[in-house]
Amino acid sequence: MKLEWIHHLKENMLTPEKYLISKCKEYPIVLLAERHAVKQNLDFVNKMISELYHCGVYHLGMEFGASEDQDALDELITGERFDEELARRLIFNYNVKWPYKEYWDLYHAAWGLNSKLKKGDRKFRIINLSYKYNWKDFSGVRTPESCSKVFYKGNTEKYRFQIIEDEIINKNERIVILTGTVHAFTRYHYPQYDETASNFIRFNDGFLGNLIYQSYPNHVFSILLHQHFSNKESLAENQSPANGQIEELMAEFNHIPMGFDLLGTCIGYLKDASYYSSGYTNFCLKDLFDGYLFFSPISVLKGCTVDPHFIDNHCFSDVQEHYPDKDWAKVPETEADYWEEVKRYVAKV
């Protein structure tokens, strides 16, 4: 079988750039499933902004951004000069724990493209897909009542879907969406523990990509960006996709970056025994995503750049007050604790 997989890739693989553009020409909505804060992923999207524009894709959707700031973001990336401090603040407004430069570098790339366009040309746009969550009074325990206060505008996945429907689908536009892996699922339903369910598993089909697929199945294509998968026995432990077979295949090609289909190909039948396979039989990569982008081995992936000026113009008490997911990580008592935590996050990608 390995020879078949190698032959298939030799005949069908594309550069990541050509692969993404090919899917954008075929589908109005292309989802890029990222493990957050991986530098290679953000650098790729950054350099693709100009190519997306020139193939008729005028929108990039971002999970990390609040819709309340959409007007300010539009002004930032179409203005005469790029306001670096405003770029930082827009990310801060959504998540005070996200000082990763490559995310707001996407704003700079969009501004750079727009600044070179002729007067009257259509501008490239970045669309914020989230809203400002209210972590201020969150106790650290998730209950229906506490979460209704944090997520006061309602279900975040439906909120994102509504933006996509209003701004893209109803206007016959095209978009590439960069979002966390679970939000990019389309056909795949994510297994979660449920004490009352058969085999203790409930399958969640309510993420952004699921919602798009349910209403517009022919409009969307989902692409996995190479990353760790979680172990079935322990979510805290990582393993390589397809039980290590993807990386073995990539080694046959000297780890050159490439994009390739999973759906409808022999590569898609690579077995996977990660957490994603929980509750499924004969689980394969094609069951998870439609396509795959490989940039480098997992061991070579780098965390994003920590911006040392991210909280310069903010009181640290504001950082503490709006610190997200207090049930996942302790609120830092000092700025030193804050920087230690955000650096630790990107050290483990």
Side-chain angles (χ1 to χ4, degrees), residues 144-214:
E145 183 177 22
S146 67
C147 286
S148 69
K149 294 176 181 177
V150 173
F151 306 110
Y152 58 94
K153 289 189 177 182
N155 183 310
T156 58
E157 304 301 312
K158 290 182 179 179
Y159 187 89
R160 291 164 177 159
F161 171 72
Q162 193 61 59
I163 291 175
I164 295 301
E165 192 168 50
D166 292 343
E167 296 292 332
I168 304 300
I169 295 170
N170 292 343
K171 296 179 180 179
N172 293 315
E173 297 286 351
R174 310 180 83 82
I175 191 170
V176 168
I177 300 173
L178 178 67
T179 188
T181 302
V182 296
H183 308 293
F185 296 144
T186 53
R187 295 170 292 104
Y188 174 74
H189 297 170
Y190 185 66
Q192 294 178 304
Y193 170 70
D194 185 337
E195 64 181 2
T196 65
S198 177
N199 296 325
F200 305 105
I201 290 176
R202 171 177 57 84
F203 292 101
N204 189 336
D205 64 351
F207 291 107
L208 170 62
N210 296 138
L211 299 178
I212 296 172
Y213 183 78
Q214 288 159 17

Side-chain angles (χ1 to χ4, degrees), residues 13-24 32 40 44-45 47-48 51-52 223 225 255-260 292-296:
M13 71 178 183
L14 296 172
T15 66
E17 295 82 6
K18 289 182 178 180
Y19 184 74
L20 177 58
I21 293 300
S22 72
K23 297 309 173 185
C24 289
L32 299 180
Q40 285 93 332
F44 171 73
V45 176
K47 72 179 182 180
M48 287 302 298
E51 292 196 42
L52 291 173
I223 302 175
L225 306 182
H255 298 121
I256 61 171
M258 68 174 76
F260 49 89
Y292 206 102
L293 281 177
F294 175 88
F295 300 121
S296 63

Side-chain angles (χ1 to χ4, degrees), residues 41-294:
N41 296 343
L42 276 294
D43 287 348
F44 171 73
V45 176
N46 188 305
K47 72 179 182 180
M48 287 302 298
I49 284 177
S50 180
E51 292 196 42
L52 291 173
Y53 180 87
H54 292 296
C55 84
V57 178
Y58 303 118
H59 302 85
L60 172 67
M62 287 181 64
E63 172 188 346
F64 283 86
S67 61
E68 294 93 335
D69 286 331
Q70 188 63 56
D71 288 345
L73 177 54
D74 289 342
E75 291 179 11
L76 171 67
I77 65 175
T78 59
E80 292 188 5
R81 73 175 186 89
F82 185 74
D83 187 337
E84 194 171 287
E85 182 50 41
L86 175 58
R88 288 190 182 97
R89 186 162 69 249
L90 294 180
I91 296 293
F92 181 93
N93 287 349
Y94 174 66
N95 191 330
V96 302
K97 193 183 174 183
W98 213 250
Y100 304 122
K101 184 176 180 293
E102 284 78 4
Y103 283 87
W104 62 259
D105 273 346
L106 295 177
Y107 300 165
H108 191 261
W111 173 85
L113 167 65
N114 287 332
S115 67
K116 296 175 184 176
L117 297 175
K118 296 177 182 178
K119 185 176 181 180
D121 285 349
R122 184 170 185 177
K123 302 294 187 181
F124 188 82
R125 195 164 183 238
I126 294 178
I127 298 180
N128 286 341
L129 296 178
S130 303
Y131 61 87
K132 296 179 182 179
Y133 309 140
N134 179 25
W135 295 106
K136 182 178 178 180
D137 299 318
F138 181 56
S139 66
V141 178
R142 296 192 190 228
T143 65
E145 183 177 22
S146 67
C147 286
S148 69
K149 294 176 181 177
V150 173
F151 306 110
Y152 58 94
K153 289 189 177 182
N155 183 310
T156 58
E157 304 301 312
K158 290 182 179 179
Y159 187 89
R160 291 164 177 159
F161 171 72
Q162 193 61 59
I163 291 175
I164 295 301
E165 192 168 50
D166 292 343
E167 296 292 332
I168 304 300
I169 295 170
N170 292 343
K171 296 179 180 179
N172 293 315
E173 297 286 351
R174 310 180 83 82
I175 191 170
V176 168
I177 300 173
L178 178 67
T179 188
T181 302
V182 296
H183 308 293
F185 296 144
T186 53
R187 295 170 292 104
Y188 174 74
H189 297 170
Y190 185 66
Q192 294 178 304
Y193 170 70
D194 185 337
E195 64 181 2
T196 65
S198 177
N199 296 325
F200 305 105
I201 290 176
R202 171 177 57 84
F203 292 101
N204 189 336
D205 64 351
F207 291 107
L208 170 62
N210 296 138
L211 299 178
I212 296 172
Y213 183 78
Q214 288 159 17
S215 295
Y216 307 96
N218 297 320
H219 281 59
V220 61
F221 191 86
S222 59
I223 302 175
L224 179 68
L225 306 182
H226 187 55
Q227 61 189 258
H228 282 299
F229 285 177
S230 293
N231 185 277
K232 184 184 290 188
E233 299 298 325
S234 174
L235 290 176
E237 296 183 16
N238 295 320
Q239 64 185 70
S240 186
N243 308 324
Q245 293 177 95
I246 286 289
E247 294 227 339
E248 289 178 14
L249 273 174
M250 297 302 100
E252 296 287 340
F253 294 86
N254 296 315
H255 298 121
I256 61 171
M258 68 174 76
F260 49 89
D261 286 344
L262 297 176
L263 200 60
T265 74
C266 60
I267 304 297
Y269 283 91
L270 289 175
K271 300 291 185 182
D272 179 80
S274 70
Y275 177 80
Y276 291 132
S277 69
S278 300
Y280 293 93
T281 56
N282 298 317
F283 186 75
C284 306
L285 286 184
K286 68 178 179 60
D287 301 318
L288 191 60
F289 282 99
D290 302 326
Y292 206 102
L293 281 177
F294 175 88

